[in-house]
Amino acid sequence: MASTSDLLAEAQSVVSTNPSHAQAIYKDILTATASSTSQDVAEEREQSLRDQETALVKLGELYRDQQNAQGLAEVITLSRSFMSSTAKAKTAKLIRTLLDFFSAIPDSHQIQIAVLNDNIEWAKREKRIFLKQSLETRLVGIQLEIQQFKPALALIDNLLKELKRLDDKMILTEVHLLESRVYRGIGNFAKAKAALTSARTAANSIYCPPYLQAALDLHSGILHAEDRDYTTAYSYFFETFENLSAQDDPKALGALKYMLLCKVMLNLPEDVTSLLSIKLALKYAQLRDVESMRAVARAHQNRNLADFEKALRDYREGIISVVFGCNIIYQWLALYDTLLEQNLLRIVEPYSVVEIEFVAQQVGQGRQAVEAKLSQMILDKVFHGVLDQGRGCLIVFDEPEADNTYGAAIETLEQVSKVVDSLYAKVSFRAYLLLLGTYAALVLATSCSISFSLL
């Protein structure tokens, strides 16, 4: 009978040409190793275990490439007999590796949840506490992705109780971060910020791996962006971008898009070009996702609503993903409204009288919408003018010079009031002294009269 090493080499040679045959060989390796380990000598058994581990991973990769989520789930279940005879640290690493293959398979969330629940129960029976906690943390992440917030919060509560007893700061940081993301998902921003503070507190007491630090900074930036604090959000996104770029992580592109969005929302679109010229951002500068934010910034800088709408049409998916990623849809609509306002100002600036129909054509909007917006701008005193609906015109006035007469009169009256109050205080004091003197004189006269009478 061929050794497991020979079978493994044979499977790897045919995996690209005959995947089904390679799949059968990998399963034979697992079966053969399981049945013969008791008869092998120590060295052969050790080699067999290494071959079995390789076969498990290769079989998982094969199912991943075939987009076979159910087959991958069976591989994870099949691996348990092997895991019972290996170190716990290696077991956890192997399960995490196999579970990571699900990320390349679309619409596999429900299968992942079933696999995770099954393995969590197995870890409880085997008393593998750290593995159970790691699997439960991953389960929370999947429930968060599919927006199952209620079961995620219930699982988080149980996890936090266990982790605080064990004082495992690393997993505690991850769970608090997941808790913050879940609370953000249900719209409870106060608890989301509190959970993020707890995550940062736990992270400060340990060495925080770069990937986890980047996740903390990214989530912090998103929360600040939702709170309209774009300056602080930008600083967090920049930290995330630097961290992920140093690791060549593809998620760095998302952080860069958030940075560009913050510049646009801060009304600093001219900074977008300079930002994309820094060394770290150069390799992303020509990507379509980055070009979408550059187009928006250019339209904003030129106060051109038509270009802004064209950018939204041409790069719809890229722009919507970053706007909804920060959950600033209302701020984005406010930006659109501001840009419409600036565009209208740019058009009416040269005129003293201009037809509303002409303005509507220039901005590419309906006449009724433009008329309503101009009316609002006049009421808000953005500019001075009046709508002549009879003629269908907008009459623009020059900005009136400030008349300081009223203010000066009020200030004079205030000073007069202070003078009157001061005089009143002085008169009152003098009257008091006069009254006191009269009383003293009366007392003295009375005393003298009594003295003379006694004499």
Side-chain angles (χ1 to χ4, degrees):
M1 180 178 178
S3 66
T4 54
S5 298
D6 295 335
L7 290 173
L8 191 60
E10 181 185 353
Q12 290 176 352
S13 64
V14 300
V15 68
S16 57
T17 56
N18 192 350
S20 57
H21 182 52
Q23 177 182 326
I25 295 175
Y26 288 138
K27 289 183 176 180
D28 287 341
I29 293 172
L30 298 175
T31 306
T33 304
S35 61
S36 61
T37 50
S38 59
Q39 303 171 0
D40 290 337
V41 294
E43 294 168 1
E44 292 179 348
R45 184 174 184 276
E46 211 173 296
Q47 182 61 43
S48 296
L49 287 174
R50 284 196 295 269
D51 292 340
Q52 186 181 33
E53 181 181 351
T54 305
L56 278 171
V57 175
K58 293 295 182 183
L59 186 58
E61 290 176 350
L62 183 62
Y63 283 131
R64 177 198 64 190
D65 296 338
Q66 293 175 348
Q67 306 284 290
N68 187 347
Q70 191 59 50
L72 184 56
E74 292 173 1
V75 170
I76 295 174
T77 304
L78 187 65
S79 66
R80 288 181 189 166
S81 58
F82 163 71
M83 292 177 187
S84 300
S85 57
T86 59
K88 293 183 178 180
K90 183 178 286 189
T91 299
K93 181 180 178 182
L94 184 58
I95 285 186
R96 283 198 298 268
T97 301
L98 293 173
L99 288 171
D100 286 340
F101 293 153
F102 277 110
S103 60
I105 304 176
D107 302 324
S108 61
H109 291 113
Q110 294 303 325
I111 294 178
Q112 287 188 67
I113 289 175
V115 170
L116 284 168
N117 283 322
D118 188 33
N119 281 278
I120 287 169
E121 292 301 320
W122 174 76
K124 286 180 182 177
R125 291 194 301 271
E126 295 289 322
K127 300 188 183 303
R128 301 195 175 198
I129 304 302
F130 293 105
L131 177 60
K132 178 188 80 73
Q133 292 170 348
S134 177
L135 293 175
E136 286 178 339
T137 302
R138 184 180 287 265
L139 178 58
V140 170
I142 295 173
Q143 290 172 335
L144 175 62
E145 286 183 25
I146 59 177
Q147 299 184 351
Q148 291 185 358
F149 300 125
K150 189 174 181 179
L153 282 176
L155 189 54
I156 284 171
D157 288 339
N158 293 331
L159 261 174
L160 288 176
K161 290 176 184 176
E162 294 181 15
L163 293 171
K164 286 176 181 177
R165 286 199 301 268
L166 296 172
D167 199 30
D168 189 335
K169 299 292 187 182
M170 183 68 72
I171 302 182
L172 192 62
T173 302
E174 295 182 17
V175 174
H176 274 307
L177 178 58
L178 287 170
E179 181 186 20
S180 179
R181 293 175 60 195
V182 170
Y183 277 124
R184 172 182 171 261
I186 61 179
N188 193 332
F189 296 110
K191 288 191 174 181
K193 291 177 181 178
L196 180 61
T197 301
S198 300
R200 287 196 169 278
T201 302
N204 288 337
S205 59
I206 58 170
Y207 166 72
C208 192
Y211 77 91
L212 184 55
Q213 186 62 53
L216 286 169
D217 289 337
L218 181 63
H219 188 62
S220 298
I222 289 174
L223 288 182
H224 280 285
E226 290 180 2
D227 209 21
R228 301 192 182 189
D229 184 2
Y230 298 112
T231 303
T232 308
Y234 175 83
S235 64
Y236 277 117
F237 290 141
F238 188 78
E239 291 289 337
T240 307
F241 177 64
E242 280 191 321
N243 195 338
L244 295 178
S245 295
Q247 305 172 59
D248 289 327
D249 193 316
K251 294 178 182 177
L253 176 60
L256 178 60
K257 288 170 64 180
Y258 287 140
M259 289 165 59
L260 300 176
L261 176 67
C262 287
K263 288 296 184 184
V264 172
M265 299 305 292
L266 284 168
N267 292 322
L268 297 171
E270 62 279 0
D271 288 356
V272 169
T273 302
S274 59
L275 179 59
L276 291 174
S277 63
I278 64 175
K279 184 178 179 181
L280 289 176
L282 282 175
K283 64 179 179 180
Y284 303 101
Q286 303 305 319
L287 296 179
R288 180 177 174 82
D289 284 345
V290 174
E291 183 58 35
S292 66
M293 299 310 300
R294 186 189 282 117
V296 169
R298 192 163 47 243
H300 191 342
Q301 188 173 2
N302 296 333
R303 297 191 300 176
N304 193 317
L305 191 64
D307 288 349
F308 188 82
E309 292 180 336
K310 184 177 184 299
L312 291 179
R313 289 194 302 270
D314 294 346
Y315 304 102
R316 179 179 177 82
E317 292 183 3
I319 294 173
I320 286 182
S321 67
V322 71
V323 169
F324 278 93
C326 276
N327 195 23
I328 57 168
I329 183 63
Y330 295 111
Q331 293 94 309
W332 187 259
L333 293 174
L335 174 65
Y336 180 87
D337 190 63
T338 301
L339 191 58
L340 172 60
E341 186 175 293
Q342 293 176 349
N343 213 39
L344 290 172
L345 281 175
R346 179 176 60 84
I347 293 170
V348 304
E349 273 173 354
Y351 300 99
S352 58
V353 180
V354 59
E355 291 184 353
I356 298 174
E357 188 65 37
F358 170 76
V359 176
Q361 289 175 0
Q362 291 296 308
V363 296
Q365 302 290 316
R367 173 173 174 163
Q368 187 174 0
V370 169
E371 192 172 334
K373 183 60 181 176
L374 288 172
S375 176
Q376 180 188 345
M377 290 167 67
I378 292 171
L379 291 173
D380 292 340
K381 296 184 179 179
V382 176
F383 71 94
H384 299 276
V386 65
L387 288 169
D388 188 343
Q389 292 181 326
R391 295 165 55 193
C393 294
L394 170 68
I395 303 172
V396 183
F397 301 147
D398 293 332
E399 187 172 350
E401 295 182 3
D403 188 356
N404 296 326
T405 305
Y406 178 77
I410 294 296
E411 186 177 356
T412 302
L413 290 174
E414 288 178 354
Q415 296 300 326
V416 169
S417 177
K418 291 179 181 178
V419 171
V420 170
D421 291 341
S422 177
L423 290 173
Y424 178 76
K426 289 180 180 179
V427 169
S428 299
F429 183 68
R430 287 178 179 176
Y432 171 73
L433 290 177
L434 182 60
L435 182 62
L436 185 62
T438 303
Y439 176 74
L442 182 61
V443 170
L444 182 59
T446 304
S447 300
C448 292
S449 175
I450 293 173
S451 299
F452 280 122
S453 64
L454 290 175
L455 290 174

